[in-house]
Amino acid sequence: MKTFRRTALAGLAVVAAASPVAAQEFTLRIQTHHSAESLPGRIFAQWIDDVQTMSGGRLQIEGFWSSAVVKSVETFDAAATGILDCDATGAAYQTGKNPAFQFLGDVMGGYETPYQMIAWLNLGGGRELADELYHDYGMHLVGYWLQGQEALSSTAPLAGPADLQDWKFRSPPGLETEIFAALGASPIVMDFTEIFTALETGIIDGADATALNTNVSLGLYDIADHATYPGFHSMPADHIACNLEVWNALPEDIQRIMTVALEKAALQTAVTAEVLDKTAAVELAAEGVTIHDWSSEDRRAFREFAIENWQRWGEKNDITRRSVDSHIAFMQQLGLIEG
């Protein structure tokens, strides 16, 4: 297990240590990569308020938005080393540490709904794998929430896999680039902030950015007149992961409050995102944007390509292999893939 130097359990402040547990007060510093105005940012703020209220003020959380303390990809390490106490970004940022994080953060081409991914964590063996993986890096996964399937935006039609041939698009790094390249697309890794200009100047034909409703708020459909919805390719999870020593120093009732409040946040996120996305799809169609809903056969073909790449990733190390096998077994149980 990797070890980290910490001072005074990072920012965890324990007040009145000699008094009963009920009188102790705790403070956590947590950073998200989302803006305060975005749906995930608003959910994060509500989670903070819920935790503080349910703890009767015993737990105070200082939240930081838009990567205000450190860069998004550095948040996990900042929590592990004591600069922060917890990370509210996502596991997919940590695939450079261990490829198994990919399968805690975004099972590309896998589950169809947020509820299925959450079910894997709680009912499909995911919790045991998460504890093993996160604890090895001095962190503890409290839980995660998902908006749902992301949408692809494009200046050219995306009616099915054949349209991906030579399609130049913005892609995040990692497993996604491998899957889309296998289908003939030309993924270009670029920062999120560069998407609009790249679309406008024709450097790319489209983008994998985020959920449909958020793509609208980014102004992508001022340029792109095609979108995939409902999505099929990516459903990233945002997590709350805390410094393991900090987590273990919290009383069990506060740990439970944080966990239960996050379960509420996960439901709230999925339900709200579904309403916002469906509303956006209706409005975009009325404005002349073509909405492409891939057939079940095309979705199955994409999933088969994705699974081939999962299997290659599974060869990287033992816990990635077990994570891939766990997802496949659970998806077979749900009837998403054949046994």
Side-chain angles (χ1 to χ4, degrees), residues 57-307:
R58 290 171 53 218
L59 177 60
Q60 293 296 311
I61 294 177
E62 187 177 4
F64 299 94
W65 278 258
S66 302
S67 304
V69 180
V70 297
K71 294 179 182 179
S72 301
V73 295
E74 298 171 357
T75 311
F76 186 94
D77 284 344
T81 57
I83 297 170
L84 295 164
D85 296 303
C86 302
D87 167 20
T89 60
Y93 279 116
Q94 305 308 319
T95 55
K97 286 184 176 58
N98 193 315
F101 278 111
Q102 178 72 53
F103 298 95
L104 267 298
D106 191 354
V107 188
M108 301 292 306
Y111 298 104
E112 296 177 347
T113 71
Y115 316 105
Q116 293 166 349
M117 179 72 173
I118 293 167
W120 171 78
L121 181 68
N122 295 315
L123 303 174
R127 171 55 65 184
E128 292 77 14
L129 287 163
D131 283 349
E132 180 181 346
L133 179 63
Y134 279 74
H135 290 185
D136 194 39
Y137 292 88
M139 295 286 283
H140 175 77
L141 177 67
V142 181
Y144 52 54
W145 66 83
L146 306 90
Q147 287 196 74
Q149 291 285 356
E150 294 191 336
L152 296 172
S153 307
S154 180
T155 56
L158 286 177
D163 289 333
L164 296 176
Q165 191 68 39
D166 300 322
W167 182 61
K168 295 183 299 181
F169 77 108
R170 179 269 175 185
S171 171
L175 180 58
E176 176 165 335
T177 61
E178 298 178 17
I179 294 171
F180 275 90
L183 285 163
S186 300
I188 300 172
V189 176
M190 66 174 62
D191 191 84
F192 199 81
T193 58
E194 300 173 17
I195 295 173
F196 189 90
T197 301
L199 268 174
E200 194 173 35
T201 57
I203 294 173
I204 55 176
D205 305 316
D208 174 18
T210 180
L212 189 70
N213 73 88
T214 308
N215 288 341
V216 171
S217 69
L218 293 172
L220 299 189
Y221 301 111
D222 294 342
I223 304 170
D225 51 4
H226 295 270
T228 58
Y229 180 80
F232 59 89
H233 73 288
S234 174
M235 188 167 56
D238 292 322
H239 68 194
I240 299 290
C242 293
N243 177 298
L244 183 58
E245 289 188 10
V246 169
W247 176 258
N248 288 337
L250 292 169
E252 184 180 355
D253 65 323
I254 286 185
Q255 291 178 350
R256 193 77 61 87
I257 286 169
M258 292 174 66
T259 303
V260 171
L262 191 54
E263 291 173 351
K264 177 216 170 183
L267 177 61
Q268 185 180 12
T269 301
V271 170
T272 305
E274 183 172 353
V275 171
L276 292 176
D277 282 346
K278 287 184 182 298
T279 301
V282 171
E283 293 175 350
L284 286 172
E287 294 168 4
V289 174
T290 302
I291 305 296
H292 299 281
D293 181 5
W294 281 25
S295 68
S296 57
E297 293 78 15
D298 287 342
R299 291 171 184 272
R300 188 178 304 113
F302 184 88
R303 180 174 286 132
E304 289 172 358
F305 267 95
I307 291 174

